[in-house]
Amino acid sequence: MPVTLQEIDRAEWEKDAQVAQDLARIYRDAPAERLPASVERFIDDHFTQGGTFCCALFNARRLGAVAVRRETRVWWLSHFCVRAETRHRGVGSRLLMLIAERAQGEACLPRVPTTVLMMGDQLLLTRLGYHPSADGTYYEFHPLASQGGRR
C-alpha cells in the first residue's frame, strides 16, 4: 500500500474543511481510552499547544494520524490512530516509519512517551526499531535496530 506522509498544522486544519473532517474521522475511530477529551477538543487542544498531526495519505484519503509535538532535536509522538476499516494493513507501521525518516532528515529523534502507550503499541514500536529509554519513560527510534543492525 503506497502510503505517503502529510503534515497538518492549525492553519491547514482551519482553512480546509476536508482536512478537518478527515482528521476528526480518524480520531472518532479511536478507542475511547486513547483520547483525553472529545475528538474536536483533543484536536483543538493539540494545535493550541503548538502541535501538528502527521497523517497517512493513500489515494488522497487520510487513513491514520499521529499527534506530533516538536522540541529541539526531538519529536514527541502520541495518539496513534488508523481508521477502523484500514487497520491491520500496515498503514500504522508505514506512518510511524515515514515520521521517523522525516524526523531523522531534520536531525531529530522520534520519541513516544510510555504514558500514552497500550501493550499493542509497545509491541509495534519494538518491531519497528523503537526501544525503551533507560528510565522507561519513553520509547526512542533507533534506525539501525529497525534494519536488523546494532545500535
Side-chain angles (χ1 to χ4, degrees), residues 25-31 34-35 54 56 63-67 78-84 87 91-92 95:
R25 278 187 184 142
I26 290 167
Y27 282 107
R28 277 192 196 103
D29 277 355
R34 283 209 182 255
L35 296 182
C54 285
L63 303 177
V66 174
S78 66
H79 301 91
F80 316 147
C81 190
V82 174
R83 293 287 315 268
R87 289 183 188 145
V91 172
L95 176 57

PDB file of all heavy atoms in Angstrom, residues 25-31 34-35 54 56 63-67 78-84 87 91-92 95:
ATOM      1  N   ARG A  25     -12.576  12.175  11.632  1.00  0.00           N
ATOM      2  CA  ARG A  25     -12.994  10.782  11.365  1.00  0.00           C
ATOM      3  C   ARG A  25     -11.968   9.785  11.888  1.00  0.00           C
ATOM      4  O   ARG A  25     -12.322   8.755  12.453  1.00  0.00           O
ATOM      5  CB  ARG A  25     -13.184  10.551   9.871  1.00  0.00           C
ATOM      6  CG  ARG A  25     -14.491  10.996   9.344  1.00  0.00           C
ATOM      7  CD  ARG A  25     -14.640  10.569   7.892  1.00  0.00           C
ATOM      8  NE  ARG A  25     -15.876  11.087   7.366  1.00  0.00           N
ATOM      9  CZ  ARG A  25     -16.033  11.541   6.149  1.00  0.00           C
ATOM     10  NH1 ARG A  25     -15.010  11.540   5.297  1.00  0.00           N
ATOM     11  NH2 ARG A  25     -17.194  11.988   5.743  1.00  0.00           N
ATOM     12  N   ILE A  26     -10.709  10.087  11.669  1.00  0.00           N
ATOM     13  CA  ILE A  26      -9.655   9.188  12.140  1.00  0.00           C
ATOM     14  C   ILE A  26      -9.764   9.013  13.653  1.00  0.00           C
ATOM     15  O   ILE A  26      -9.766   7.896  14.160  1.00  0.00           O
ATOM     16  CB  ILE A  26      -8.256   9.726  11.751  1.00  0.00           C
ATOM     17  CG1 ILE A  26      -8.052   9.611  10.239  1.00  0.00           C
ATOM     18  CG2 ILE A  26      -7.156   8.976  12.514  1.00  0.00           C
ATOM     19  CD1 ILE A  26      -6.854  10.394   9.713  1.00  0.00           C
ATOM     20  N   TYR A  27      -9.872  10.122  14.375  1.00  0.00           N
ATOM     21  CA  TYR A  27      -9.890  10.030  15.831  1.00  0.00           C
ATOM     22  C   TYR A  27     -11.237   9.581  16.392  1.00  0.00           C
ATOM     23  O   TYR A  27     -11.287   9.064  17.502  1.00  0.00           O
ATOM     24  CB  TYR A  27      -9.384  11.326  16.462  1.00  0.00           C
ATOM     25  CG  TYR A  27      -7.871  11.387  16.383  1.00  0.00           C
ATOM     26  CD1 TYR A  27      -7.224  12.231  15.500  1.00  0.00           C
ATOM     27  CD2 TYR A  27      -7.098  10.525  17.157  1.00  0.00           C
ATOM     28  CE1 TYR A  27      -5.844  12.242  15.408  1.00  0.00           C
ATOM     29  CE2 TYR A  27      -5.726  10.530  17.076  1.00  0.00           C
ATOM     30  CZ  TYR A  27      -5.092  11.388  16.197  1.00  0.00           C
ATOM     31  OH  TYR A  27      -3.725  11.380  16.111  1.00  0.00           O
ATOM     32  N   ARG A  28     -12.306   9.708  15.635  1.00  0.00           N
ATOM     33  CA  ARG A  28     -13.582   9.138  16.093  1.00  0.00           C
ATOM     34  C   ARG A  28     -13.522   7.612  16.096  1.00  0.00           C
ATOM     35  O   ARG A  28     -14.251   6.965  16.828  1.00  0.00           O
ATOM     36  CB  ARG A  28     -14.731   9.618  15.217  1.00  0.00           C
ATOM     37  CG  ARG A  28     -15.226  10.973  15.628  1.00  0.00           C
ATOM     38  CD  ARG A  28     -16.545  11.348  14.974  1.00  0.00           C
ATOM     39  NE  ARG A  28     -16.717  12.773  15.121  1.00  0.00           N
ATOM     40  CZ  ARG A  28     -16.512  13.677  14.159  1.00  0.00           C
ATOM     41  NH1 ARG A  28     -16.184  13.285  12.950  1.00  0.00           N
ATOM     42  NH2 ARG A  28     -16.650  14.954  14.406  1.00  0.00           N
ATOM     43  N   ASP A  29     -12.661   7.050  15.252  1.00  0.00           N
ATOM     44  CA  ASP A  29     -12.478   5.594  15.206  1.00  0.00           C
ATOM     45  C   ASP A  29     -11.593   5.081  16.339  1.00  0.00           C
ATOM     46  O   ASP A  29     -11.455   3.880  16.522  1.00  0.00           O
ATOM     47  CB  ASP A  29     -11.843   5.171  13.873  1.00  0.00           C
ATOM     48  CG  ASP A  29     -12.855   5.028  12.750  1.00  0.00           C
ATOM     49  OD1 ASP A  29     -14.064   5.169  13.016  1.00  0.00           O
ATOM     50  OD2 ASP A  29     -12.435   4.773  11.608  1.00  0.00           O
ATOM     51  N   ALA A  30     -10.973   5.982  17.090  1.00  0.00           N
ATOM     52  CA  ALA A  30     -10.068   5.579  18.176  1.00  0.00           C
ATOM     53  C   ALA A  30     -10.862   5.033  19.350  1.00  0.00           C
ATOM     54  O   ALA A  30     -11.949   5.528  19.654  1.00  0.00           O
ATOM     55  CB  ALA A  30      -9.236   6.774  18.631  1.00  0.00           C
ATOM     56  N   PRO A  31     -10.324   4.027  20.029  1.00  0.00           N
ATOM     57  CA  PRO A  31     -10.959   3.588  21.276  1.00  0.00           C
ATOM     58  C   PRO A  31     -11.011   4.765  22.256  1.00  0.00           C
ATOM     59  O   PRO A  31     -10.086   5.593  22.300  1.00  0.00           O
ATOM     60  CB  PRO A  31     -10.016   2.497  21.794  1.00  0.00           C
ATOM     61  CG  PRO A  31      -9.236   2.057  20.593  1.00  0.00           C
ATOM     62  CD  PRO A  31      -9.130   3.258  19.702  1.00  0.00           C
ATOM     63  N   ARG A  34      -8.076   6.107  24.311  1.00  0.00           N
ATOM     64  CA  ARG A  34      -6.933   6.726  23.638  1.00  0.00           C
ATOM     65  C   ARG A  34      -6.955   8.248  23.690  1.00  0.00           C
ATOM     66  O   ARG A  34      -5.917   8.876  23.537  1.00  0.00           O
ATOM     67  CB  ARG A  34      -6.871   6.295  22.178  1.00  0.00           C
ATOM     68  CG  ARG A  34      -6.334   4.920  22.004  1.00  0.00           C
ATOM     69  CD  ARG A  34      -5.661   4.830  20.654  1.00  0.00           C
ATOM     70  NE  ARG A  34      -5.184   3.493  20.439  1.00  0.00           N
ATOM     71  CZ  ARG A  34      -3.924   3.154  20.513  1.00  0.00           C
ATOM     72  NH1 ARG A  34      -3.010   4.034  20.795  1.00  0.00           N
ATOM     73  NH2 ARG A  34      -3.560   1.918  20.285  1.00  0.00           N
ATOM     74  N   LEU A  35      -8.136   8.845  23.842  1.00  0.00           N
ATOM     75  CA  LEU A  35      -8.227  10.299  23.791  1.00  0.00           C
ATOM     76  C   LEU A  35      -8.572  10.887  25.158  1.00  0.00           C
ATOM     77  O   LEU A  35      -9.456  10.388  25.832  1.00  0.00           O
ATOM     78  CB  LEU A  35      -9.286  10.734  22.776  1.00  0.00           C
ATOM     79  CG  LEU A  35      -9.002  10.363  21.328  1.00  0.00           C
ATOM     80  CD1 LEU A  35     -10.108  10.899  20.428  1.00  0.00           C
ATOM     81  CD2 LEU A  35      -7.664  10.868  20.861  1.00  0.00           C
ATOM     82  N   CYS A  54       0.712  14.237  11.887  1.00  0.00           N
ATOM     83  CA  CYS A  54       1.241  13.595  10.695  1.00  0.00           C
ATOM     84  C   CYS A  54       0.229  12.533  10.290  1.00  0.00           C
ATOM     85  O   CYS A  54      -0.150  11.695  11.109  1.00  0.00           O
ATOM     86  CB  CYS A  54       2.600  12.964  10.963  1.00  0.00           C
ATOM     87  SG  CYS A  54       3.930  14.175  11.088  1.00  0.00           S
ATOM     88  N   ALA A  56      -1.277   9.579   7.443  1.00  0.00           N
ATOM     89  CA  ALA A  56      -1.008   8.624   6.381  1.00  0.00           C
ATOM     90  C   ALA A  56      -1.981   8.931   5.264  1.00  0.00           C
ATOM     91  O   ALA A  56      -3.195   8.917   5.464  1.00  0.00           O
ATOM     92  CB  ALA A  56      -1.220   7.199   6.887  1.00  0.00           C
ATOM     93  N   LEU A  63      -5.822   8.163   6.195  1.00  0.00           N
ATOM     94  CA  LEU A  63      -6.219   6.896   6.816  1.00  0.00           C
ATOM     95  C   LEU A  63      -5.770   6.756   8.259  1.00  0.00           C
ATOM     96  O   LEU A  63      -6.282   5.910   8.984  1.00  0.00           O
ATOM     97  CB  LEU A  63      -5.648   5.723   6.014  1.00  0.00           C
ATOM     98  CG  LEU A  63      -6.016   5.665   4.544  1.00  0.00           C
ATOM     99  CD1 LEU A  63      -5.303   4.487   3.884  1.00  0.00           C
ATOM    100  CD2 LEU A  63      -7.514   5.559   4.362  1.00  0.00           C
ATOM    101  N   GLY A  64      -4.796   7.525   8.658  1.00  0.00           N
ATOM    102  CA  GLY A  64      -4.270   7.418  10.014  1.00  0.00           C
ATOM    103  C   GLY A  64      -3.597   8.709  10.407  1.00  0.00           C
ATOM    104  O   GLY A  64      -3.298   9.550   9.558  1.00  0.00           O
ATOM    105  N   ALA A  65      -3.397   8.873  11.709  1.00  0.00           N
ATOM    106  CA  ALA A  65      -2.760  10.106  12.196  1.00  0.00           C
ATOM    107  C   ALA A  65      -1.971   9.827  13.468  1.00  0.00           C
ATOM    108  O   ALA A  65      -2.262   8.886  14.214  1.00  0.00           O
ATOM    109  CB  ALA A  65      -3.812  11.176  12.459  1.00  0.00           C
ATOM    110  N   VAL A  66      -0.980  10.672  13.684  1.00  0.00           N
ATOM    111  CA  VAL A  66      -0.167  10.677  14.898  1.00  0.00           C
ATOM    112  C   VAL A  66      -0.020  12.134  15.318  1.00  0.00           C
ATOM    113  O   VAL A  66       0.292  12.998  14.489  1.00  0.00           O
ATOM    114  CB  VAL A  66       1.233  10.061  14.654  1.00  0.00           C
ATOM    115  CG1 VAL A  66       2.124  10.208  15.869  1.00  0.00           C
ATOM    116  CG2 VAL A  66       1.124   8.605  14.230  1.00  0.00           C
ATOM    117  N   ALA A  67      -0.277  12.417  16.585  1.00  0.00           N
ATOM    118  CA  ALA A  67      -0.058  13.765  17.118  1.00  0.00           C
ATOM    119  C   ALA A  67       1.441  13.950  17.330  1.00  0.00           C
ATOM    120  O   ALA A  67       2.109  13.065  17.879  1.00  0.00           O
ATOM    121  CB  ALA A  67      -0.819  13.937  18.426  1.00  0.00           C
ATOM    122  N   SER A  78       2.411  10.872  19.796  1.00  0.00           N
ATOM    123  CA  SER A  78       1.383  10.313  20.668  1.00  0.00           C
ATOM    124  C   SER A  78       0.093  10.135  19.883  1.00  0.00           C
ATOM    125  O   SER A  78      -0.020  10.576  18.742  1.00  0.00           O
ATOM    126  CB  SER A  78       1.143  11.213  21.880  1.00  0.00           C
ATOM    127  OG  SER A  78       0.597  12.453  21.470  1.00  0.00           O
ATOM    128  N   HIS A  79      -0.849   9.493  20.513  1.00  0.00           N
ATOM    129  CA  HIS A  79      -2.205   9.337  19.985  1.00  0.00           C
ATOM    130  C   HIS A  79      -2.217   8.811  18.547  1.00  0.00           C
ATOM    131  O   HIS A  79      -2.680   9.474  17.633  1.00  0.00           O
ATOM    132  CB  HIS A  79      -2.972  10.655  20.122  1.00  0.00           C
ATOM    133  CG  HIS A  79      -3.052  11.096  21.547  1.00  0.00           C
ATOM    134  ND1 HIS A  79      -2.105  11.932  22.105  1.00  0.00           N
ATOM    135  CD2 HIS A  79      -3.916  10.782  22.525  1.00  0.00           C
ATOM    136  CE1 HIS A  79      -2.409  12.131  23.372  1.00  0.00           C
ATOM    137  NE2 HIS A  79      -3.497  11.446  23.669  1.00  0.00           N
ATOM    138  N   PHE A  80      -1.659   7.600  18.374  1.00  0.00           N
ATOM    139  CA  PHE A  80      -1.682   6.923  17.072  1.00  0.00           C
ATOM    140  C   PHE A  80      -3.104   6.444  16.817  1.00  0.00           C
ATOM    141  O   PHE A  80      -3.729   5.880  17.699  1.00  0.00           O
ATOM    142  CB  PHE A  80      -0.824   5.658  17.045  1.00  0.00           C
ATOM    143  CG  PHE A  80       0.527   5.746  17.675  1.00  0.00           C
ATOM    144  CD1 PHE A  80       1.073   4.651  18.297  1.00  0.00           C
ATOM    145  CD2 PHE A  80       1.272   6.909  17.638  1.00  0.00           C
ATOM    146  CE1 PHE A  80       2.321   4.693  18.878  1.00  0.00           C
ATOM    147  CE2 PHE A  80       2.525   6.967  18.217  1.00  0.00           C
ATOM    148  CZ  PHE A  80       3.045   5.856  18.831  1.00  0.00           C
ATOM    149  N   CYS A  81      -3.566   6.610  15.614  1.00  0.00           N
ATOM    150  CA  CYS A  81      -4.874   6.050  15.262  1.00  0.00           C
ATOM    151  C   CYS A  81      -4.950   5.824  13.760  1.00  0.00           C
ATOM    152  O   CYS A  81      -4.504   6.665  12.976  1.00  0.00           O
ATOM    153  CB  CYS A  81      -6.003   6.973  15.705  1.00  0.00           C
ATOM    154  SG  CYS A  81      -7.620   6.194  15.538  1.00  0.00           S
ATOM    155  N   VAL A  82      -5.502   4.687  13.383  1.00  0.00           N
ATOM    156  CA  VAL A  82      -5.755   4.340  11.985  1.00  0.00           C
ATOM    157  C   VAL A  82      -7.241   4.074  11.860  1.00  0.00           C
ATOM    158  O   VAL A  82      -7.842   3.465  12.752  1.00  0.00           O
ATOM    159  CB  VAL A  82      -4.927   3.099  11.565  1.00  0.00           C
ATOM    160  CG1 VAL A  82      -5.287   2.643  10.164  1.00  0.00           C
ATOM    161  CG2 VAL A  82      -3.436   3.407  11.665  1.00  0.00           C
ATOM    162  N   ARG A  83      -7.829   4.531  10.753  1.00  0.00           N
ATOM    163  CA  ARG A  83      -9.261   4.297  10.523  1.00  0.00           C
ATOM    164  C   ARG A  83      -9.563   2.810  10.652  1.00  0.00           C
ATOM    165  O   ARG A  83      -8.791   1.949  10.218  1.00  0.00           O
ATOM    166  CB  ARG A  83      -9.686   4.759   9.121  1.00  0.00           C
ATOM    167  CG  ARG A  83      -9.625   6.247   8.857  1.00  0.00           C
ATOM    168  CD  ARG A  83     -10.710   7.044   9.553  1.00  0.00           C
ATOM    169  NE  ARG A  83     -12.037   6.515   9.491  1.00  0.00           N
ATOM    170  CZ  ARG A  83     -12.961   6.799   8.573  1.00  0.00           C
ATOM    171  NH1 ARG A  83     -12.671   7.626   7.590  1.00  0.00           N
ATOM    172  NH2 ARG A  83     -14.161   6.264   8.644  1.00  0.00           N
ATOM    173  N   ALA A  84     -10.680   2.495  11.271  1.00  0.00           N
ATOM    174  CA  ALA A  84     -11.049   1.106  11.574  1.00  0.00           C
ATOM    175  C   ALA A  84     -11.022   0.212  10.334  1.00  0.00           C
ATOM    176  O   ALA A  84     -10.515  -0.911  10.388  1.00  0.00           O
ATOM    177  CB  ALA A  84     -12.422   1.064  12.234  1.00  0.00           C
ATOM    178  N   ARG A  87      -7.295  -0.876   9.354  1.00  0.00           N
ATOM    179  CA  ARG A  87      -6.356  -1.433  10.334  1.00  0.00           C
ATOM    180  C   ARG A  87      -5.863  -2.807   9.878  1.00  0.00           C
ATOM    181  O   ARG A  87      -6.520  -3.502   9.129  1.00  0.00           O
ATOM    182  CB  ARG A  87      -7.029  -1.555  11.703  1.00  0.00           C
ATOM    183  CG  ARG A  87      -7.244  -0.199  12.336  1.00  0.00           C
ATOM    184  CD  ARG A  87      -7.839  -0.275  13.712  1.00  0.00           C
ATOM    185  NE  ARG A  87      -8.191   1.079  14.149  1.00  0.00           N
ATOM    186  CZ  ARG A  87      -9.218   1.374  14.892  1.00  0.00           C
ATOM    187  NH1 ARG A  87     -10.004   0.423  15.352  1.00  0.00           N
ATOM    188  NH2 ARG A  87      -9.461   2.627  15.201  1.00  0.00           N
ATOM    189  N   VAL A  91      -0.749   0.292   7.537  1.00  0.00           N
ATOM    190  CA  VAL A  91      -0.812   1.752   7.465  1.00  0.00           C
ATOM    191  C   VAL A  91      -0.115   2.389   8.665  1.00  0.00           C
ATOM    192  O   VAL A  91       0.689   3.305   8.517  1.00  0.00           O
ATOM    193  CB  VAL A  91      -2.277   2.241   7.361  1.00  0.00           C
ATOM    194  CG1 VAL A  91      -2.357   3.762   7.481  1.00  0.00           C
ATOM    195  CG2 VAL A  91      -2.902   1.766   6.064  1.00  0.00           C
ATOM    196  N   GLY A  92      -0.405   1.910   9.865  1.00  0.00           N
ATOM    197  CA  GLY A  92       0.205   2.477  11.067  1.00  0.00           C
ATOM    198  C   GLY A  92       1.714   2.298  11.076  1.00  0.00           C
ATOM    199  O   GLY A  92       2.456   3.226  11.412  1.00  0.00           O
ATOM    200  N   LEU A  95       3.216   4.666   8.529  1.00  0.00           N
ATOM    201  CA  LEU A  95       3.143   6.039   9.022  1.00  0.00           C
ATOM    202  C   LEU A  95       4.246   6.314  10.041  1.00  0.00           C
ATOM    203  O   LEU A  95       4.956   7.316   9.949  1.00  0.00           O
ATOM    204  CB  LEU A  95       1.762   6.314   9.630  1.00  0.00           C
ATOM    205  CG  LEU A  95       1.548   7.681  10.269  1.00  0.00           C
ATOM    206  CD1 LEU A  95       1.809   8.809   9.283  1.00  0.00           C
ATOM    207  CD2 LEU A  95       0.127   7.766  10.836  1.00  0.00           C
TER     208      LEU A  95
END
